[in-house]
Amino acid sequence: MTSEQQKNIEKSFLRIVIQTTGHSAAFILRKNPEGHFLETSRTGKIPPELITDSFLKTLTDLTSPKTTQIGSDWSSLALPLTSAAFSSDEDKLPYGFVIAFSALGNTVSACTPEVINDIVLCAQEILPPTNSLVSNIVNRAALPGRTESYSALETMTAQAKKNEKPVNFGLIKLNLSNLTLINERHGWENADIILDEVVQRLKQLLPDESFLGYLGGSHFMIMTPLGYSAINTKSLVNSILRLTVTPISIGAGQLPFTLSVGWAMFPADNQNAEELLLEARAALAESNRFGGGHDYRATKEITTRFQTFSSLEQDLSRAVKHDALFLTWMPIVETASQHIIGHEALLRWNRPGFGEVAPELFIQCAEEAGIIEQLDGWSLRTACKEATRWRNDLRVCVNVSPVWLVNERLSSLVAEVLKETGLAPERLQIELSECSPFGPPAIAHKEMARVRAMGVRIALDDFGRGYASLERLSNFPLDQIKLDRSFMQGLGENMRVDDIMRAVLRLTRSLNITCCAKGIETEYQMAFLDTYGCEEVQGYLLGAPVRDREIPPQSD
């Protein structure tokens, strides 16, 4: 039996399973990644959930009419097919079934080429002429992997350098931007189908002699043919992005998808294969940084930023281990009395050789690297410990990532820190950024309720900058909202901003929660907030962040 005949038999069998069970090709191949559903012996390997009445009937219909035309090997398949035929008892499995659909082994040698061809023809008479799910799965599996793709890039650069005149080619990296969301909402089976359809569309789009490799996950690599200019490469990139205009059919519906692209040119951007790949990776990261669905060509600035961010992760991990982080404190002022009633702990980091790193940058890095919980744990413990040394009972406010809610570990962390430091629970306020996902609402609500039951306050930080403020106000137990500083920028200059601010303050009073405004820089802002009942404020007008040793000993 030839390799092509084996594939035809396997494909025919897979199409039967897809048609008769309703399962996707991705699901079926997960059950048996090799596509070999039977051992070469007579012991069945078909997962029980795939053996439906419809499946058995289809096989019977496929085989019975052909018994007189094909001969003894095939005629044994006319035996009645029931679920018992697929039990572990090899005597109950029709021998002809193994002959028809086994891919390897000496049992298939009993089939002549004529018999094999008739088997495939029988399947084609019953099944649709094509099945995109099957062909896509096969296509993606056949793509060069990461190692082969990188090797092909080295070969291409070496070949381009051998030409007497400089020869251009483009290196394109792309990924399915919303793969994680698709996995969460629609399941990995549908995510796999979308990836496979992307492969199919790319193959139809790419010019001859292009290279397409699959790097794993949602990432692909393309090399244009030698002699492809930057203009042609950009045109190809635009065509790739337009592939997303048509959604992908999944079952009875259609699912939209988004691609992000980063690209670089040889030799204009780099002549070294490894560094050219770095350029394309950096450009792709830049596209993803802005939400995906875009393309960027590599530049020195983009690559430098990418390299800095990559090394940032390693240095940040060392900073956590070696206690190289520190806190500054932003005073929180009661609007009516203008007395300091608390301090917000702000995490800071002096990176060796670089100086102080912007908090937005290293916190984002920590979230992506999976070490944000280490930073949060350090901040909370250090802040509570320092607060116990103050000569007054000011409130201490600490920012914590909502990832603790998803994992249902925020309450245990808070309880542990309070016990270690001896801080009174009513002095602590946990602040959760409105810009970050809280996870399943029921879990988040339960975890926040546990924290409040200890006497600890919870604030919704960066209110107005995220995407679900009002929904979170209605669903979660909160003590305070902290208005994002962007609210302050148009205050007194834009009537609509003034109206929104007044409405928000009325809303907080009706919900019996307090409001703290951040970013106060002018006397007008202060007067406005005082007039309309904002209880607390913070900003450079009232005091800049200071190190712990500089905190005044008294609240006034």
PDB file of all heavy atoms in Angstrom, residues 221-255:
ATOM      1  N   MET A 221       4.900  32.035  10.191  1.00  0.00           N
ATOM      2  CA  MET A 221       5.998  32.771   9.578  1.00  0.00           C
ATOM      3  C   MET A 221       5.924  32.619   8.061  1.00  0.00           C
ATOM      4  O   MET A 221       5.693  31.523   7.557  1.00  0.00           O
ATOM      5  CB  MET A 221       7.347  32.254  10.087  1.00  0.00           C
ATOM      6  CG  MET A 221       8.539  33.069   9.621  1.00  0.00           C
ATOM      7  SD  MET A 221      10.097  32.377  10.235  1.00  0.00           S
ATOM      8  CE  MET A 221      10.642  31.486   8.784  1.00  0.00           C
ATOM      9  N   ILE A 222       6.099  33.732   7.371  1.00  0.00           N
ATOM     10  CA  ILE A 222       6.058  33.743   5.913  1.00  0.00           C
ATOM     11  C   ILE A 222       7.337  34.385   5.394  1.00  0.00           C
ATOM     12  O   ILE A 222       7.791  35.396   5.927  1.00  0.00           O
ATOM     13  CB  ILE A 222       4.837  34.539   5.397  1.00  0.00           C
ATOM     14  CG1 ILE A 222       3.536  33.858   5.822  1.00  0.00           C
ATOM     15  CG2 ILE A 222       4.890  34.703   3.883  1.00  0.00           C
ATOM     16  CD1 ILE A 222       2.306  34.710   5.585  1.00  0.00           C
ATOM     17  N   MET A 223       7.921  33.805   4.352  1.00  0.00           N
ATOM     18  CA  MET A 223       9.004  34.450   3.610  1.00  0.00           C
ATOM     19  C   MET A 223       8.544  34.635   2.176  1.00  0.00           C
ATOM     20  O   MET A 223       8.067  33.680   1.542  1.00  0.00           O
ATOM     21  CB  MET A 223      10.282  33.606   3.667  1.00  0.00           C
ATOM     22  CG  MET A 223      11.004  33.674   5.003  1.00  0.00           C
ATOM     23  SD  MET A 223      12.605  32.848   4.957  1.00  0.00           S
ATOM     24  CE  MET A 223      12.113  31.137   4.803  1.00  0.00           C
ATOM     25  N   THR A 224       8.671  35.838   1.678  1.00  0.00           N
ATOM     26  CA  THR A 224       8.299  36.095   0.291  1.00  0.00           C
ATOM     27  C   THR A 224       9.379  35.535  -0.632  1.00  0.00           C
ATOM     28  O   THR A 224      10.501  35.250  -0.195  1.00  0.00           O
ATOM     29  CB  THR A 224       8.147  37.600   0.038  1.00  0.00           C
ATOM     30  OG1 THR A 224       9.432  38.234   0.157  1.00  0.00           O
ATOM     31  CG2 THR A 224       7.179  38.222   1.021  1.00  0.00           C
ATOM     32  N   PRO A 225       9.092  35.385  -1.914  1.00  0.00           N
ATOM     33  CA  PRO A 225      10.125  34.913  -2.853  1.00  0.00           C
ATOM     34  C   PRO A 225      11.284  35.907  -2.941  1.00  0.00           C
ATOM     35  O   PRO A 225      11.119  37.101  -2.673  1.00  0.00           O
ATOM     36  CB  PRO A 225       9.369  34.814  -4.178  1.00  0.00           C
ATOM     37  CG  PRO A 225       7.925  34.754  -3.809  1.00  0.00           C
ATOM     38  CD  PRO A 225       7.784  35.544  -2.560  1.00  0.00           C
ATOM     39  N   LEU A 226      12.435  35.429  -3.327  1.00  0.00           N
ATOM     40  CA  LEU A 226      13.576  36.305  -3.558  1.00  0.00           C
ATOM     41  C   LEU A 226      13.231  37.329  -4.641  1.00  0.00           C
ATOM     42  O   LEU A 226      12.600  36.996  -5.645  1.00  0.00           O
ATOM     43  CB  LEU A 226      14.798  35.492  -3.987  1.00  0.00           C
ATOM     44  CG  LEU A 226      15.480  34.655  -2.892  1.00  0.00           C
ATOM     45  CD1 LEU A 226      16.584  33.794  -3.494  1.00  0.00           C
ATOM     46  CD2 LEU A 226      16.042  35.553  -1.803  1.00  0.00           C
ATOM     47  N   GLY A 227      13.654  38.564  -4.415  1.00  0.00           N
ATOM     48  CA  GLY A 227      13.376  39.623  -5.373  1.00  0.00           C
ATOM     49  C   GLY A 227      12.131  40.417  -5.046  1.00  0.00           C
ATOM     50  O   GLY A 227      11.813  41.391  -5.725  1.00  0.00           O
ATOM     51  N   TYR A 228      11.417  40.026  -3.976  1.00  0.00           N
ATOM     52  CA  TYR A 228      10.200  40.731  -3.563  1.00  0.00           C
ATOM     53  C   TYR A 228      10.589  42.039  -2.891  1.00  0.00           C
ATOM     54  O   TYR A 228      11.338  42.058  -1.915  1.00  0.00           O
ATOM     55  CB  TYR A 228       9.402  39.854  -2.604  1.00  0.00           C
ATOM     56  CG  TYR A 228       7.950  39.698  -2.965  1.00  0.00           C
ATOM     57  CD1 TYR A 228       7.583  39.096  -4.156  1.00  0.00           C
ATOM     58  CD2 TYR A 228       6.945  40.147  -2.114  1.00  0.00           C
ATOM     59  CE1 TYR A 228       6.245  38.937  -4.485  1.00  0.00           C
ATOM     60  CE2 TYR A 228       5.610  39.994  -2.435  1.00  0.00           C
ATOM     61  CZ  TYR A 228       5.254  39.399  -3.625  1.00  0.00           C
ATOM     62  OH  TYR A 228       3.939  39.245  -3.952  1.00  0.00           O
ATOM     63  N   SER A 229      10.063  43.146  -3.383  1.00  0.00           N
ATOM     64  CA  SER A 229      10.420  44.458  -2.847  1.00  0.00           C
ATOM     65  C   SER A 229       9.620  44.773  -1.592  1.00  0.00           C
ATOM     66  O   SER A 229       8.651  44.077  -1.248  1.00  0.00           O
ATOM     67  CB  SER A 229      10.150  45.542  -3.894  1.00  0.00           C
ATOM     68  OG  SER A 229       8.754  45.663  -4.124  1.00  0.00           O
ATOM     69  N   ALA A 230       9.996  45.861  -0.923  1.00  0.00           N
ATOM     70  CA  ALA A 230       9.270  46.304   0.262  1.00  0.00           C
ATOM     71  C   ALA A 230       7.841  46.697  -0.095  1.00  0.00           C
ATOM     72  O   ALA A 230       6.899  46.449   0.675  1.00  0.00           O
ATOM     73  CB  ALA A 230      10.005  47.475   0.919  1.00  0.00           C
ATOM     74  N   ILE A 231       7.669  47.321  -1.271  1.00  0.00           N
ATOM     75  CA  ILE A 231       6.326  47.733  -1.702  1.00  0.00           C
ATOM     76  C   ILE A 231       5.443  46.500  -1.918  1.00  0.00           C
ATOM     77  O   ILE A 231       4.284  46.454  -1.479  1.00  0.00           O
ATOM     78  CB  ILE A 231       6.409  48.570  -2.992  1.00  0.00           C
ATOM     79  CG1 ILE A 231       7.115  49.898  -2.707  1.00  0.00           C
ATOM     80  CG2 ILE A 231       5.018  48.807  -3.566  1.00  0.00           C
ATOM     81  CD1 ILE A 231       7.336  50.753  -3.932  1.00  0.00           C
ATOM     82  N   ASN A 232       5.996  45.489  -2.580  1.00  0.00           N
ATOM     83  CA  ASN A 232       5.223  44.264  -2.802  1.00  0.00           C
ATOM     84  C   ASN A 232       4.919  43.539  -1.503  1.00  0.00           C
ATOM     85  O   ASN A 232       3.844  42.963  -1.329  1.00  0.00           O
ATOM     86  CB  ASN A 232       5.989  43.339  -3.753  1.00  0.00           C
ATOM     87  CG  ASN A 232       6.009  43.860  -5.173  1.00  0.00           C
ATOM     88  OD1 ASN A 232       5.147  44.632  -5.563  1.00  0.00           O
ATOM     89  ND2 ASN A 232       7.010  43.454  -5.946  1.00  0.00           N
ATOM     90  N   THR A 233       5.895  43.562  -0.589  1.00  0.00           N
ATOM     91  CA  THR A 233       5.687  42.903   0.707  1.00  0.00           C
ATOM     92  C   THR A 233       4.593  43.607   1.498  1.00  0.00           C
ATOM     93  O   THR A 233       3.737  42.964   2.115  1.00  0.00           O
ATOM     94  CB  THR A 233       6.990  42.871   1.520  1.00  0.00           C
ATOM     95  OG1 THR A 233       7.998  42.184   0.772  1.00  0.00           O
ATOM     96  CG2 THR A 233       6.789  42.165   2.850  1.00  0.00           C
ATOM     97  N   LYS A 234       4.610  44.940   1.484  1.00  0.00           N
ATOM     98  CA  LYS A 234       3.559  45.699   2.165  1.00  0.00           C
ATOM     99  C   LYS A 234       2.200  45.406   1.548  1.00  0.00           C
ATOM    100  O   LYS A 234       1.181  45.269   2.252  1.00  0.00           O
ATOM    101  CB  LYS A 234       3.874  47.191   2.076  1.00  0.00           C
ATOM    102  CG  LYS A 234       2.758  48.112   2.602  1.00  0.00           C
ATOM    103  CD  LYS A 234       2.430  47.856   4.077  1.00  0.00           C
ATOM    104  CE  LYS A 234       1.391  48.848   4.562  1.00  0.00           C
ATOM    105  NZ  LYS A 234       0.936  48.548   5.948  1.00  0.00           N
ATOM    106  N   SER A 235       2.149  45.294   0.243  1.00  0.00           N
ATOM    107  CA  SER A 235       0.891  44.953  -0.438  1.00  0.00           C
ATOM    108  C   SER A 235       0.402  43.576  -0.014  1.00  0.00           C
ATOM    109  O   SER A 235      -0.799  43.365   0.205  1.00  0.00           O
ATOM    110  CB  SER A 235       1.099  45.006  -1.950  1.00  0.00           C
ATOM    111  OG  SER A 235      -0.079  44.637  -2.628  1.00  0.00           O
ATOM    112  N   LEU A 236       1.340  42.620   0.125  1.00  0.00           N
ATOM    113  CA  LEU A 236       0.980  41.280   0.582  1.00  0.00           C
ATOM    114  C   LEU A 236       0.459  41.315   2.010  1.00  0.00           C
ATOM    115  O   LEU A 236      -0.525  40.642   2.348  1.00  0.00           O
ATOM    116  CB  LEU A 236       2.190  40.353   0.475  1.00  0.00           C
ATOM    117  CG  LEU A 236       2.004  38.920   0.985  1.00  0.00           C
ATOM    118  CD1 LEU A 236       0.894  38.217   0.211  1.00  0.00           C
ATOM    119  CD2 LEU A 236       3.307  38.142   0.882  1.00  0.00           C
ATOM    120  N   VAL A 237       1.105  42.112   2.859  1.00  0.00           N
ATOM    121  CA  VAL A 237       0.660  42.252   4.253  1.00  0.00           C
ATOM    122  C   VAL A 237      -0.769  42.794   4.299  1.00  0.00           C
ATOM    123  O   VAL A 237      -1.611  42.319   5.074  1.00  0.00           O
ATOM    124  CB  VAL A 237       1.624  43.164   5.033  1.00  0.00           C
ATOM    125  CG1 VAL A 237       1.013  43.584   6.368  1.00  0.00           C
ATOM    126  CG2 VAL A 237       2.953  42.457   5.270  1.00  0.00           C
ATOM    127  N   ASN A 238      -1.045  43.795   3.475  1.00  0.00           N
ATOM    128  CA  ASN A 238      -2.406  44.350   3.426  1.00  0.00           C
ATOM    129  C   ASN A 238      -3.418  43.285   3.009  1.00  0.00           C
ATOM    130  O   ASN A 238      -4.539  43.223   3.546  1.00  0.00           O
ATOM    131  CB  ASN A 238      -2.464  45.528   2.453  1.00  0.00           C
ATOM    132  CG  ASN A 238      -1.697  46.736   2.952  1.00  0.00           C
ATOM    133  OD1 ASN A 238      -1.450  46.878   4.144  1.00  0.00           O
ATOM    134  ND2 ASN A 238      -1.313  47.610   2.039  1.00  0.00           N
ATOM    135  N   SER A 239      -3.032  42.443   2.065  1.00  0.00           N
ATOM    136  CA  SER A 239      -3.920  41.360   1.629  1.00  0.00           C
ATOM    137  C   SER A 239      -4.156  40.360   2.744  1.00  0.00           C
ATOM    138  O   SER A 239      -5.261  39.831   2.899  1.00  0.00           O
ATOM    139  CB  SER A 239      -3.333  40.662   0.398  1.00  0.00           C
ATOM    140  OG  SER A 239      -3.203  41.561  -0.688  1.00  0.00           O
ATOM    141  N   ILE A 240      -3.118  40.089   3.524  1.00  0.00           N
ATOM    142  CA  ILE A 240      -3.257  39.161   4.655  1.00  0.00           C
ATOM    143  C   ILE A 240      -4.244  39.724   5.673  1.00  0.00           C
ATOM    144  O   ILE A 240      -5.113  38.997   6.187  1.00  0.00           O
ATOM    145  CB  ILE A 240      -1.883  38.900   5.306  1.00  0.00           C
ATOM    146  CG1 ILE A 240      -0.995  38.073   4.364  1.00  0.00           C
ATOM    147  CG2 ILE A 240      -2.049  38.193   6.646  1.00  0.00           C
ATOM    148  CD1 ILE A 240       0.432  37.923   4.841  1.00  0.00           C
ATOM    149  N   LEU A 241      -4.140  41.010   5.967  1.00  0.00           N
ATOM    150  CA  LEU A 241      -5.062  41.619   6.930  1.00  0.00           C
ATOM    151  C   LEU A 241      -6.499  41.600   6.403  1.00  0.00           C
ATOM    152  O   LEU A 241      -7.454  41.483   7.186  1.00  0.00           O
ATOM    153  CB  LEU A 241      -4.631  43.050   7.237  1.00  0.00           C
ATOM    154  CG  LEU A 241      -3.328  43.195   8.032  1.00  0.00           C
ATOM    155  CD1 LEU A 241      -2.950  44.657   8.196  1.00  0.00           C
ATOM    156  CD2 LEU A 241      -3.448  42.530   9.405  1.00  0.00           C
ATOM    157  N   ARG A 242      -6.657  41.700   5.089  1.00  0.00           N
ATOM    158  CA  ARG A 242      -8.012  41.683   4.517  1.00  0.00           C
ATOM    159  C   ARG A 242      -8.656  40.293   4.578  1.00  0.00           C
ATOM    160  O   ARG A 242      -9.868  40.164   4.368  1.00  0.00           O
ATOM    161  CB  ARG A 242      -7.984  42.178   3.070  1.00  0.00           C
ATOM    162  CG  ARG A 242      -7.838  43.693   2.949  1.00  0.00           C
ATOM    163  CD  ARG A 242      -8.203  44.168   1.546  1.00  0.00           C
ATOM    164  NE  ARG A 242      -7.271  43.674   0.544  1.00  0.00           N
ATOM    165  CZ  ARG A 242      -6.162  44.324   0.167  1.00  0.00           C
ATOM    166  NH1 ARG A 242      -5.862  45.492   0.732  1.00  0.00           N
ATOM    167  NH2 ARG A 242      -5.368  43.821  -0.754  1.00  0.00           N
ATOM    168  N   LEU A 243      -7.873  39.276   4.883  1.00  0.00           N
ATOM    169  CA  LEU A 243      -8.449  37.936   5.034  1.00  0.00           C
ATOM    170  C   LEU A 243      -9.465  37.891   6.172  1.00  0.00           C
ATOM    171  O   LEU A 243     -10.340  37.022   6.200  1.00  0.00           O
ATOM    172  CB  LEU A 243      -7.342  36.908   5.321  1.00  0.00           C
ATOM    173  CG  LEU A 243      -6.350  36.609   4.191  1.00  0.00           C
ATOM    174  CD1 LEU A 243      -5.285  35.643   4.683  1.00  0.00           C
ATOM    175  CD2 LEU A 243      -7.062  36.051   2.970  1.00  0.00           C
ATOM    176  N   THR A 244      -9.342  38.822   7.107  1.00  0.00           N
ATOM    177  CA  THR A 244     -10.225  38.818   8.275  1.00  0.00           C
ATOM    178  C   THR A 244     -11.586  39.431   7.972  1.00  0.00           C
ATOM    179  O   THR A 244     -12.478  39.387   8.835  1.00  0.00           O
ATOM    180  CB  THR A 244      -9.571  39.576   9.436  1.00  0.00           C
ATOM    181  OG1 THR A 244      -9.406  40.966   9.068  1.00  0.00           O
ATOM    182  CG2 THR A 244      -8.209  39.000   9.768  1.00  0.00           C
ATOM    183  N   VAL A 245     -11.751  40.018   6.793  1.00  0.00           N
ATOM    184  CA  VAL A 245     -13.038  40.647   6.452  1.00  0.00           C
ATOM    185  C   VAL A 245     -14.149  39.606   6.426  1.00  0.00           C
ATOM    186  O   VAL A 245     -15.272  39.855   6.863  1.00  0.00           O
ATOM    187  CB  VAL A 245     -12.935  41.369   5.092  1.00  0.00           C
ATOM    188  CG1 VAL A 245     -14.314  41.850   4.641  1.00  0.00           C
ATOM    189  CG2 VAL A 245     -11.964  42.538   5.191  1.00  0.00           C
ATOM    190  N   THR A 246     -13.841  38.417   5.936  1.00  0.00           N
ATOM    191  CA  THR A 246     -14.832  37.336   5.860  1.00  0.00           C
ATOM    192  C   THR A 246     -14.718  36.441   7.090  1.00  0.00           C
ATOM    193  O   THR A 246     -13.691  35.803   7.302  1.00  0.00           O
ATOM    194  CB  THR A 246     -14.609  36.487   4.599  1.00  0.00           C
ATOM    195  OG1 THR A 246     -14.626  37.346   3.461  1.00  0.00           O
ATOM    196  CG2 THR A 246     -15.696  35.430   4.463  1.00  0.00           C
ATOM    197  N   PRO A 247     -15.756  36.393   7.931  1.00  0.00           N
ATOM    198  CA  PRO A 247     -15.708  35.518   9.106  1.00  0.00           C
ATOM    199  C   PRO A 247     -15.589  34.053   8.701  1.00  0.00           C
ATOM    200  O   PRO A 247     -15.810  33.696   7.536  1.00  0.00           O
ATOM    201  CB  PRO A 247     -17.039  35.795   9.818  1.00  0.00           C
ATOM    202  CG  PRO A 247     -17.539  37.077   9.240  1.00  0.00           C
ATOM    203  CD  PRO A 247     -17.017  37.135   7.837  1.00  0.00           C
ATOM    204  N   ILE A 248     -15.261  33.226   9.666  1.00  0.00           N
ATOM    205  CA  ILE A 248     -15.103  31.787   9.411  1.00  0.00           C
ATOM    206  C   ILE A 248     -16.343  31.055   9.898  1.00  0.00           C
ATOM    207  O   ILE A 248     -16.821  31.290  11.014  1.00  0.00           O
ATOM    208  CB  ILE A 248     -13.838  31.254  10.110  1.00  0.00           C
ATOM    209  CG1 ILE A 248     -12.590  31.873   9.465  1.00  0.00           C
ATOM    210  CG2 ILE A 248     -13.774  29.733  10.044  1.00  0.00           C
ATOM    211  CD1 ILE A 248     -11.301  31.524  10.150  1.00  0.00           C
ATOM    212  N   SER A 249     -16.865  30.179   9.066  1.00  0.00           N
ATOM    213  CA  SER A 249     -18.078  29.430   9.410  1.00  0.00           C
ATOM    214  C   SER A 249     -17.749  28.346  10.425  1.00  0.00           C
ATOM    215  O   SER A 249     -16.844  27.535  10.223  1.00  0.00           O
ATOM    216  CB  SER A 249     -18.684  28.798   8.152  1.00  0.00           C
ATOM    217  OG  SER A 249     -19.090  29.803   7.243  1.00  0.00           O
ATOM    218  N   ILE A 250     -18.484  28.371  11.525  1.00  0.00           N
ATOM    219  CA  ILE A 250     -18.342  27.363  12.577  1.00  0.00           C
ATOM    220  C   ILE A 250     -19.733  26.816  12.867  1.00  0.00           C
ATOM    221  O   ILE A 250     -20.575  27.514  13.450  1.00  0.00           O
ATOM    222  CB  ILE A 250     -17.744  27.962  13.867  1.00  0.00           C
ATOM    223  CG1 ILE A 250     -16.374  28.550  13.592  1.00  0.00           C
ATOM    224  CG2 ILE A 250     -17.670  26.910  14.964  1.00  0.00           C
ATOM    225  CD1 ILE A 250     -15.316  27.537  13.264  1.00  0.00           C
ATOM    226  N   GLY A 251     -19.980  25.584  12.452  1.00  0.00           N
ATOM    227  CA  GLY A 251     -21.308  25.018  12.649  1.00  0.00           C
ATOM    228  C   GLY A 251     -22.339  25.833  11.893  1.00  0.00           C
ATOM    229  O   GLY A 251     -22.231  26.080  10.694  1.00  0.00           O
ATOM    230  N   ALA A 252     -23.361  26.317  12.635  1.00  0.00           N
ATOM    231  CA  ALA A 252     -24.433  27.084  12.005  1.00  0.00           C
ATOM    232  C   ALA A 252     -24.154  28.581  12.004  1.00  0.00           C
ATOM    233  O   ALA A 252     -24.918  29.354  11.458  1.00  0.00           O
ATOM    234  CB  ALA A 252     -25.755  26.814  12.725  1.00  0.00           C
ATOM    235  N   GLY A 253     -23.060  28.997  12.619  1.00  0.00           N
ATOM    236  CA  GLY A 253     -22.763  30.422  12.729  1.00  0.00           C
ATOM    237  C   GLY A 253     -21.447  30.797  12.092  1.00  0.00           C
ATOM    238  O   GLY A 253     -20.770  29.983  11.468  1.00  0.00           O
ATOM    239  N   GLN A 254     -21.102  32.070  12.251  1.00  0.00           N
ATOM    240  CA  GLN A 254     -19.845  32.592  11.731  1.00  0.00           C
ATOM    241  C   GLN A 254     -19.089  33.295  12.841  1.00  0.00           C
ATOM    242  O   GLN A 254     -19.691  33.979  13.680  1.00  0.00           O
ATOM    243  CB  GLN A 254     -20.096  33.563  10.577  1.00  0.00           C
ATOM    244  CG  GLN A 254     -20.619  32.891   9.320  1.00  0.00           C
ATOM    245  CD  GLN A 254     -20.678  33.843   8.148  1.00  0.00           C
ATOM    246  OE1 GLN A 254     -21.045  35.006   8.292  1.00  0.00           O
ATOM    247  NE2 GLN A 254     -20.302  33.371   6.967  1.00  0.00           N
ATOM    248  N   LEU A 255     -17.779  33.120  12.845  1.00  0.00           N
ATOM    249  CA  LEU A 255     -16.951  33.661  13.911  1.00  0.00           C
ATOM    250  C   LEU A 255     -15.916  34.621  13.321  1.00  0.00           C
ATOM    251  O   LEU A 255     -15.121  34.235  12.461  1.00  0.00           O
ATOM    252  CB  LEU A 255     -16.229  32.514  14.634  1.00  0.00           C
ATOM    253  CG  LEU A 255     -15.764  32.755  16.067  1.00  0.00           C
ATOM    254  CD1 LEU A 255     -16.947  33.100  16.957  1.00  0.00           C
ATOM    255  CD2 LEU A 255     -15.074  31.510  16.599  1.00  0.00           C
TER     256      LEU A 255
END
